[in-house]
Amino acid sequence: MLRLETLICTFSVLCVATRADVKANCTEVKEACIARGFSFTHVPLLEIPGEHLRVCPQGNTCCTQEMEDQFGQQSKEEFGTLVDEISHELRSTFVSRHQRFDEFFLELLENTERSLNEMFVRTYGKPYMQNAEVFENLFAELKRYYTGGNVNLEEMLNDFWSRLLERMFTLLNSQYVITEDYLECISKYTDELKPFGDVPRKLKAQVTRAFIAARTFVQGLSVGREVAQRVAKVNGTPPCIRALTKMLYCPFCQGIPAVKPCRNYCLNVMKGCLANQADLDSEWNQYIDAMLLVAQRLEGPFNIESVMDPIDVKISEAIMNMQENSAQVSYRVFQGCGQPKPSGMTRSTRGVPDVFTARFRPYSPEERPTTAAGTSLDRLVVDIKKKLRLSKKFWSSLPEAMCIENRVTAANTSDDECWNGHTKGRYFPEVQKDGLTNQMNNPEVSVDITRPDTFIRQQIMALRVMTNKLKNAYNGNDIYFQDSSDEGSGSGSGSGCTEVCPTDMDGTVSEAPIVEADRSGPVDDAAAVCAPSVALPTMLALSALALQRQWR
């Protein structure tokens, strides 16, 4: 009996010793590596001692030094690719919407200029075409302002009406010789005389607010596009790459390549790796809120489409006002500037009528057509508001998006069936909060909270500056922008200065009603002769003007 017990004990000891010497099979690891596209020089068939490992646990392992090194490089690439994929929709939204808004506004300007030119050619004929540069300059300056030029809208519009007053005064007083000095004197009385009625004041208020809002909004889309594209290009720090390697590929070294990381484990790794990006979130959210405010203005009182579409009729209305008040305007100018010398041609020979009775058919602002780029401003704004709201809190939610089930972490498994950084089992550490300062005690990634990422801070400042511009635009205030054509500081339409700029003008303006516009066909020649209108006297006077002087 004693001999039998001795044999059983001896056999048990031998069995234990044998099991201790058995190495786990690494075949599954090799197959997983081949499936992932790795081409290692050597993958152990059985576990080997892991003293050479610098990231993964150093017990028995299926990994060589070469494998761990390549796992580190692959982890870095996968991290960048994952951020790129998750941010793709955000980036493409800003790229495509910036392009659509920019195309719309530029095409709207071109269409408006063409419409005015066609209407004025119909109404005034060849004399207008010979002296159309005053209107061409108006649209050239509006376009230069929109594309980032250093243009003071208020001064530019005042100058336009001054030039128009000079033209009209010369036309209506062609029996006199109007010199350059005399025109300078006339310009001093523009505000007092108000020869064009209330149209310049209303139009200036509408155009200024609409263009400030349009340009600033497109600049905002451009800044959002640039920030999103730059921040999405992540370069993990060495501690981040080590943590990613440990999370994504150390299961291979442990012989369990199919086991995915625990969700909370993944969150701590990503919050550590994306700590600086999360700090962008506060300024990003304020920027999005400011963009939404300006978008509301584009839908309402600052709608550039409803301002520009009838601008030809508004200018024509101003010409009518000048025509109707010509006698009073001339009398007051003669009082202030003196009586000019006669030219030899009397007013009666021109047959200038006293009123402009050729009215245009009504323009209905409720019937907003597809005016530019195959769409309308209302449709564009509705679309972009929806997209902007979805982009809020994007950067702070990025770790959650990275650790979504089936993307990185284990799906439909219990907390005990995932990789916790050491083995297959539950992950116990608490999930850290977002942002750099909250990573002091991150158990997975060593983060220096005293050294914020300089590049991310630059993007935060860019958003802060843009938010300030947007808030000013919402209130109708202009911000001084560098002339991108002169300084080379812009990045396309809507480009401007990259620092906080002083306010250029006070945008507190009153509402102005939409002036009715004409979209009728050519005027019949006979009707033009019989009906009292400004066309005939204007043509005659413009002809005289063309011979007398060049437009300034």
Side-chain angles (χ1 to χ4, degrees):
M1 186 66 180
L2 180 60
R3 185 176 180 182
L4 178 60
E5 290 177 354
T6 303
L7 289 172
I8 292 174
C9 290
T10 302
F11 179 76
S12 298
V13 171
L14 289 173
C15 288
V16 171
T18 302
R19 282 198 300 270
D21 293 335
V22 172
K23 305 295 185 182
N25 193 307
C26 297
T27 303
E28 186 180 353
V29 174
K30 184 174 183 179
E31 292 174 353
C33 290
I34 293 173
R36 293 287 189 94
F38 289 105
S39 55
F40 298 121
T41 304
H42 172 66
V43 177
L45 294 177
L46 298 175
E47 286 183 331
I48 59 175
E51 293 86 355
H52 56 279
L53 298 180
R54 291 173 293 183
V55 177
C56 297
Q58 292 185 331
N60 288 341
T61 181
C62 287
C63 289
T64 62
Q65 182 65 63
E66 175 200 17
M67 292 172 67
E68 190 183 53
D69 290 343
Q70 285 200 33
F71 284 154
Q73 183 61 34
Q74 183 65 21
S75 298
K76 180 179 180 180
E77 293 176 4
E78 288 182 9
F79 177 62
T81 300
L82 195 56
V83 173
D84 184 76
E85 289 177 356
I86 294 173
S87 64
H88 174 75
E89 184 175 357
L90 176 73
R91 291 180 288 113
S92 63
T93 291
F94 279 91
V95 169
S96 61
R97 271 43 177 198
H98 173 267
Q99 182 178 354
R100 291 181 67 184
F101 270 90
D102 193 39
E103 289 176 351
F104 177 85
F105 289 139
L106 289 173
E107 192 170 321
L108 179 65
L109 274 173
E110 293 175 1
N111 291 349
T112 303
E113 182 175 10
R114 182 169 57 252
S115 174
L116 182 143
N117 182 70
E118 291 173 354
M119 190 186 96
F120 275 49
V121 166
R122 284 200 311 268
T123 306
Y124 309 126
K126 188 175 181 180
Y128 159 73
M129 291 186 285
Q130 292 174 336
N131 297 276
E133 61 270 17
V134 65
F135 299 98
E136 293 172 356
N137 290 340
L138 168 66
F139 283 97
E141 287 297 283
L142 288 174
K143 183 175 181 180
R144 190 164 75 88
Y145 172 85
Y146 168 73
T147 55
N150 177 16
V151 178
N152 185 311
L153 280 178
E154 189 170 295
E155 292 180 1
M156 184 272 292
L157 291 169
N158 287 341
D159 186 65
F160 166 74
W161 292 112
S162 295
R163 301 287 79 77
L164 192 58
L165 172 61
E166 293 174 6
R167 165 177 282 192
M168 291 299 300
F169 186 87
T170 305
L171 294 176
L172 296 169
N173 295 277
S174 58
Q175 68 270 35
Y176 297 105
V177 176
I178 308 298
T179 63
E180 293 292 332
D181 291 338
Y182 200 86
L183 290 175
E184 287 293 331
C185 181
I186 292 173
S187 64
K188 298 176 183 178
Y189 290 88
T190 303
D191 293 337
E192 178 186 340
L193 294 173
K194 294 185 178 179
F196 300 110
D198 208 28
V199 173
R201 183 188 68 82
K202 292 180 177 180
L203 193 59
K204 180 166 64 176
Q206 292 176 324
V207 168
T208 299
R209 295 184 310 179
F211 270 79
I212 291 171
R215 177 170 83 162
T216 307
F217 191 75
V218 172
Q219 287 177 333
L221 290 173
S222 177
V223 169
R225 175 194 65 191
E226 294 302 317
V227 169
Q229 288 179 333
R230 290 167 181 169
V231 177
K233 294 179 180 178
V234 293
N235 289 312
T237 62
C240 168
I241 301 306
R242 284 195 295 271
L244 289 168
T245 305
K246 182 179 179 182
M247 179 181 74
L248 297 174
Y249 285 103
C250 283
F252 283 63
C253 297
Q254 294 296 97
I256 48 174
V259 178
K260 289 190 173 183
C262 301
R263 183 174 180 276
N264 287 353
Y265 174 35
C266 176
L267 286 174
N268 274 340
V269 171
M270 294 304 178
K271 284 175 183 284
C273 288
L274 298 169
N276 283 284
Q277 282 77 3
D279 281 349
L280 190 75
D281 212 51
S282 176
E283 206 64 51
W284 176 266
N285 292 338
Q286 292 183 51
Y287 153 77
I288 293 297
D289 288 337
M291 287 288 289
L292 288 169
L293 286 175
V294 177
Q296 291 177 11
R297 292 299 203 201
L298 292 176
E299 286 181 308
F302 297 5
N303 187 310
I304 192 173
E305 188 175 17
S306 64
V307 170
M308 293 305 293
D309 191 54
I311 197 171
D312 49 3
V313 175
K314 295 179 182 182
I315 294 175
S316 183
E317 194 77 22
I319 293 174
M320 288 192 293
N321 291 334
M322 175 69 183
Q323 170 69 27
E324 293 168 357
N325 299 312
S326 61
Q328 181 183 3
V329 170
S330 297
Y331 175 75
R332 295 178 68 179
V333 169
F334 293 160
Q335 281 188 322
C337 299
Q339 189 87 5
K341 295 179 181 180
S343 66
M345 183 172 68
T346 63
R347 179 182 174 89
S348 59
T349 60
R350 297 182 296 112
V352 178
D354 294 326
V355 294
F356 189 116
T357 57
R359 299 286 175 173
F360 303 110
R361 75 173 179 84
Y363 165 78
S364 175
E366 290 79 16
E367 299 175 3
R368 289 183 184 165
T370 298
T371 56
T375 186
S376 71
L377 184 58
D378 288 339
R379 290 194 287 270
L380 287 175
V381 171
V382 168
D383 170 71
I384 191 61
K385 284 171 64 178
K386 184 179 183 181
K387 299 291 185 181
L388 287 171
R389 291 190 185 101
L390 291 174
S391 71
K392 288 194 70 173
K393 298 184 178 180
F394 175 83
W395 302 105
S396 62
S397 64
L398 192 54
E400 292 276 355
M402 299 279 279
C403 294
I404 196 170
E405 292 182 353
N406 287 326
R407 187 188 295 273
V408 173
T409 60
N412 300 321
T413 58
S414 69
D415 293 340
D416 297 322
E417 297 295 320
C418 54
W419 172 251
N420 62 17
H422 303 281
T423 185
K424 183 169 71 172
R426 186 181 297 271
Y427 183 78
F428 291 101
E430 181 182 358
V431 176
Q432 305 300 296
K433 295 181 180 179
D434 298 310
L436 184 65
T437 58
N438 290 315
Q439 306 311 309
M440 179 183 294
N441 298 315
N442 191 308
E444 308 305 334
V445 186
S446 177
V447 181
D448 187 352
I449 65 171
T450 66
R451 299 183 63 184
D453 187 295
T454 304
F455 179 76
I456 296 296
R457 302 301 136 177
Q458 291 173 349
Q459 307 314 307
I460 290 174
M461 182 55 66
L463 289 173
R464 190 169 296 161
V465 170
M466 193 65 245
T467 300
N468 179 58
K469 294 178 183 178
L470 289 163
K471 289 179 178 178
N472 275 277
Y474 174 77
N475 293 319
N477 296 329
D478 200 2
I479 294 291
Y480 179 86
F481 291 88
Q482 283 184 320
D483 190 335
S484 59
S485 62
D486 296 336
E487 303 295 334
S489 61
S491 58
S493 297
S495 61
C497 65
T498 55
E499 298 178 356
V500 179
C501 310
T503 301
D504 195 36
M505 66 176 70
D506 181 9
T508 305
V509 289
S510 59
E511 290 295 325
I514 300 296
V515 180
E516 294 182 341
D518 167 56
R519 295 296 180 270
S520 59
V523 179
D524 181 75
D525 290 342
V529 172
C530 298
S533 75
V534 77
L536 180 58
T538 303
M539 289 174 62
L540 293 172
L542 275 173
S543 299
L545 176 63
L547 297 173
Q548 290 178 21
R549 58 188 292 271
Q550 288 290 329
W551 261 95
R552 298 191 304 167

